[in-house]
Amino acid sequence: QVQLVESGGGLVQAGDSLRLTCAASGRTFSAYALGWFRLAPGTEREFVAGIITSGGSANYADSVKGRFAISRDNAKNTVYLQMDSLKPEDTAVYYCAARRWAGISTHRNDYDYWGQGTQVTVSS
């Protein structure tokens, strides 16, 4: 069982940066691949970024490549999402997710555990 708690969301202006943090419970954190998803009004929950168990490889949605960076610290049971050059279309609730496999998946149904989400609002 893994419990995930996101933090770091807020209201920012276009071009600003935010760093989201997801703290996880459980002694086997390093055995889970992790992902960040987001949900905007009127849309489906979409993949943003994912990282493998070791942290050595990551994958990103095309819409955030070059602006967002995912990282993890297995010693601290924490995963981060650094978001730079934010745009109004990045406005959404951001969710952290964990899956019981080493590899990244871009499909939300492949993830076993979810956090409660943190709101990110980017004004123009």
Side-chain angles (χ1 to χ4, degrees):
Q1 185 81 10
V2 175
Q3 292 185 327
L4 305 169
V5 178
E6 303 96 334
S7 62
L11 172 62
V12 297
Q13 293 187 329
D16 286 350
S17 298
L18 273 177
R19 188 195 198 200
L20 304 184
T21 298
C22 176
S25 64
R27 293 179 293 177
T28 58
F29 176 78
S30 60
Y32 292 81
L34 301 167
W36 286 96
F37 288 75
R38 65 187 181 187
L39 179 63
T43 70
E44 295 186 349
R45 194 173 300 195
E46 66 171 359
F47 173 81
V48 174
I51 191 165
I52 63 172
T53 51
S54 68
S57 180
N59 192 18
Y60 298 91
D62 288 343
S63 58
V64 306
K65 271 181 190 173
R67 300 189 298 121
F68 290 13
I70 187 172
S71 61
R72 66 188 293 166
D73 186 337
N74 287 340
K76 295 182 179 180
N77 281 16
T78 303
V79 60
Y80 306 96
L81 184 67
Q82 178 66 40
M83 306 186 295
D84 298 324
S85 302
L86 282 161
K87 304 175 181 180
E89 51 263 44
D90 294 319
T91 295
V93 178
Y94 283 72
Y95 297 89
C96 173
R99 64 189 300 259
R100 294 189 212 94
W101 299 99
I104 300 165
S105 172
T106 62
H107 302 288
R108 59 184 183 271
N109 290 340
D110 289 339
Y111 287 79
D112 303 293
Y113 303 102
W114 293 84
Q116 82 291 348
T118 185
Q119 176 71 46
V120 172
T121 303
V122 185
S123 63
S124 57

